[in-house]
Amino acid sequence: MEPVIIVLIILVVLVFIALIKTIQVIPQASAAIVERFGRYTRTLNAGLNIVVPFIDTIRNRIDLREQVVPFPPQPVITQDNLVVNIDTVIYYQVTDARAATYEVASYIQAIEQLTVTTLRNIIGGMDLERTLTSREEINAALRGVLDEATGKWGIRVNRVELKAIEPPTSIQDSMEKQMRADRDKRAAILQAEGVRQSEILRAEGEKQSQILRAEGEAKAAALRAEGEAQAVRTVFEAIHAGDPDQKLLSYQYLQMLPKIAEGDANKLWIVPSEIGDALKGLSGAVGNFGSSLGGNGATANVPAQERRETPSID
C-alpha cells in the first residue's frame, strides 16, 4: 500500500504543477511570448490564458508601458573640432512584443548605440555655438532617425532629450569671460544712455525754464510799459482837462529841479535850456502879482541907482 500512496502523491503533485503551468495570468500593459518546442506560437495578452503544459513555454515577458532610459555622457566632436560631452534620455515604448523579441537581440543596447552614432552625425555638422543653441533641432533630428530605425524592432521612440551639453573646461572659461565682457559692455552702454538721457532732459528743462522766464519778463515789461503809458496818458488827459497856463507849468518845472539833482551819484548837473523860459514865465508871474498889490509895482519905490545895480534875471 505504501508504494501506491507514494505514486498517488507524485501524481497529485504533477497534476498541480501541470495546472500551474496551464493557467497563465498576464498583468495589464504586459505581453508574453509563447513557444512550442522552440518555435514561436502566439503572444499572450493581459488576462487569464491557457497553455499546454510541458509543451508550450513562455519565452519572454515584455512591459508595454513607455520606458525611460538615460544614456551616459558620450564624447562628440563638433564641426569646429571641439569635443563636447552630451547626455541623452530616450522615451520609448514596445508596440510589437514578437518583433522586440526576435528582430533584435537587445533593443536597449541597440537603441543606445544607434543614438550615439546618430548624435555624432548630427553634431558633426554643427559648430559649438549652434550646438549649444539648437537643442530642439537636435532632438527632432535624433528622434526622426531613431523612430525610423527602431520601427522594424517593434519599438516606437516617443521623445529624445539632451540632458546636458558640456564643452571643454577651457572653452567654458572663455565663454564665461566673453559673457562677462558682454554684460559689462551692455551695462556701460545702458549707463551712458542713462547719463545722455539725463543730460538731454536737464538741458530741455533749462531751455524750457529760460523760455518761460523770458516770456514772463517780456510780459512783465509789456505790462509795465502799458502801465506807464496809461499813467502818462492819464496825466496828459488831466493836464489838458485842467487847461494850465505857462505860469503854472513854469512853477511845476522849478519844483522838479531839486528832485532831478537828488542822489549821491549826480556829480554833474546840466541845466537845460528851457530853464530860462521857465524863469521868465515865473518872473512875469511874480511881477504881475506885485503890481496887483502895490499899484505901480514894488520896483517903483526902489531908487533908480539901486535898480541899475540889480542884475537881470536873464
Side-chain angles (χ1 to χ4, degrees):
M1 294 295 297
E2 292 181 359
V4 175
I5 295 175
I6 294 174
V7 172
L8 291 176
I9 292 173
I10 293 174
L11 290 176
V12 170
V13 170
L14 291 177
V15 170
F16 183 75
I17 294 174
L19 289 175
I20 292 176
K21 288 184 172 293
T22 301
I23 300 173
Q24 296 291 331
V25 178
I26 307 299
Q28 182 66 32
S30 298
I33 301 299
V34 177
E35 293 180 348
R36 180 170 295 176
F37 300 114
R39 183 177 179 180
Y40 170 77
T41 304
R42 58 194 175 111
T43 301
L44 301 181
N45 296 321
L48 183 64
N49 296 273
I50 304 298
V51 297
V52 179
F54 306 107
I55 297 177
D56 294 339
T57 58
I58 296 179
R59 165 71 183 272
N60 193 11
R61 295 177 182 268
I62 297 176
D63 193 345
L64 300 180
R65 295 173 297 178
E66 185 174 11
Q67 303 293 322
V68 181
V69 179
F71 295 145
Q74 299 294 330
V76 181
I77 301 176
T78 61
Q79 189 177 12
D80 46 358
N81 297 325
L82 293 175
V83 179
V84 294
N85 293 323
I86 300 180
D87 296 351
T88 55
V89 178
I90 303 298
Y91 296 80
Y92 74 93
Q93 186 176 9
V94 177
T95 58
D96 188 352
R98 178 182 176 280
T101 303
Y102 296 105
E103 296 295 334
V104 61
S106 175
Y107 55 83
I108 297 296
Q109 185 178 1
I111 292 175
E112 180 180 1
Q113 296 302 319
L114 183 60
T115 300
V116 172
T117 55
T118 305
L119 193 61
R120 288 176 178 174
N121 291 333
I122 296 173
I123 300 300
M126 299 181 178
D127 55 9
L128 179 61
E129 184 176 359
R130 185 182 174 188
T131 301
L132 295 175
T133 57
S134 303
R135 290 198 176 193
E136 293 296 332
E137 181 181 353
I138 297 173
N139 292 340
L142 188 59
R143 178 185 176 279
V145 174
L146 291 177
D147 195 20
E148 182 180 359
T150 58
K152 62 181 180 180
W153 301 338
I155 306 295
R156 183 177 64 216
V157 177
N158 297 325
R159 192 173 180 181
V160 179
E161 291 291 340
L162 301 182
K163 289 199 304 183
I165 301 176
E166 298 180 359
T169 306
S170 59
I171 301 300
Q172 292 182 6
D173 296 338
S174 300
M175 292 172 63
E176 290 178 358
K177 292 179 180 179
Q178 182 180 0
M179 293 174 62
R180 191 178 301 112
D182 290 338
R183 291 194 183 100
D184 294 340
K185 177 181 177 181
R186 288 196 296 269
I189 291 174
L190 292 176
Q191 185 177 2
E193 287 291 337
V195 173
R196 174 175 173 270
Q197 190 67 22
S198 176
E199 294 294 335
I200 291 174
L201 292 176
R202 187 180 297 110
E204 289 290 338
E206 293 178 357
K207 176 182 176 183
Q208 190 69 20
S209 177
Q210 293 177 0
I211 291 174
L212 294 176
R213 191 180 299 112
E215 290 179 355
E217 293 177 355
K219 290 181 180 179
L223 293 175
R224 194 181 303 112
E226 185 178 354
E228 293 176 357
Q230 184 66 29
V232 172
R233 191 180 303 111
T234 303
V235 173
F236 183 77
E237 291 176 356
I239 292 173
H240 279 275
D243 193 14
D245 55 0
Q246 182 66 28
K247 301 172 184 179
L248 179 59
L249 294 177
S250 300
Y251 180 71
Q252 292 292 333
Y253 190 81
L254 289 175
Q255 283 185 337
M256 291 299 298
L257 287 178
K259 295 183 179 180
I260 296 175
E262 287 179 357
D264 297 336
N266 294 331
K267 304 299 183 181
L268 179 62
W269 185 30
I270 300 174
V271 179
S273 61
E274 290 80 0
I275 193 172
D277 297 334
L279 292 176
K280 287 180 180 180
L282 184 60
S283 62
V286 173
N288 293 334
F289 181 72
S291 298
S292 64
L293 293 177
N296 293 330
T299 58
N301 298 327
V302 179
Q305 184 176 2
E306 293 179 1
R307 290 198 302 269
R308 285 195 301 269
E309 292 177 356
T310 301
S312 175
I313 297 176
D314 297 334

